[in-house]
Amino acid sequence: RLMKRHRLRMCFTIRCWRRAYAAGVVRDFLRATNKGAKLQRVVMTYTERVVLGQSLIRQYVESRRARMKILDSIYVQLEGIIIEEERRRIVQRVHEIRNLLRARLEGKADSRTSL
């Protein structure tokens, strides 16, 4: 019960902080704009900045997506190379073991030779 109260209080605190922060951002923007400017110009400036911010975020997301696609293709290529090298190493080891077992069956190899 006490934990619920504490969690609720923290939730309200965070919401109030966000609201206060947002109000501060708007207040700073209004102070930064010319005090003698008409309200329409202030709204236009604000809208332009919001649109610019949104386009920058879209460009960032698109470039990140393209970068991830390129890195993914590079990773797949490298993974294929590594898997192929591992396969070759395993096949070589299997051939070595087969040859050793054949030699033991024919009695040609020393029985103390390990696999």
Side-chain angles (χ1 to χ4, degrees), residues 5-108:
R5 250 190 266 157
H6 182 66
R7 191 174 349 148
L8 187 62
R9 187 174 70 222
M10 290 301 296
C11 191
F12 284 141
T13 303
I14 290 171
R15 287 181 187 169
C16 292
W17 179 83
R18 285 182 183 161
R19 193 177 302 125
Y21 180 76
V25 168
V26 171
R27 193 178 316 113
D28 290 343
F29 172 76
L30 290 174
R31 282 184 190 150
T33 57
N34 190 359
K35 291 183 181 181
K38 293 182 180 179
L39 183 61
Q40 183 180 6
R41 183 63 198 149
V42 171
V43 171
M44 289 291 287
T45 305
Y46 182 75
T47 306
E48 289 170 2
R49 289 186 185 179
V50 167
V51 169
L52 176 65
Q54 289 174 345
S55 68
L56 290 175
I57 289 173
R58 277 192 213 104
Q59 290 172 3
Y60 168 75
V61 169
E62 289 172 9
S63 65
R64 183 173 175 258
R65 194 172 290 144
R67 186 174 66 241
M68 292 304 285
K69 188 181 286 187
I70 291 170
L71 289 175
D72 186 46
S73 66
I74 292 171
Y75 177 78
V76 168
Q77 290 172 356
L78 289 176
E79 190 178 37
I81 292 169
I82 291 170
I83 289 172
E84 184 63 29
E85 289 175 359
E86 185 71 16
R87 189 190 66 75
R88 284 184 192 146
R89 190 183 64 76
I90 290 172
V91 167
Q92 181 183 5
R93 182 71 178 136
V94 167
H95 286 305
E96 289 173 3
I97 292 172
R98 272 190 200 155
N99 293 336
L100 184 62
L101 290 175
R102 280 187 190 142
R104 280 188 183 176
L105 286 174
E106 294 172 0
K108 294 180 181 178

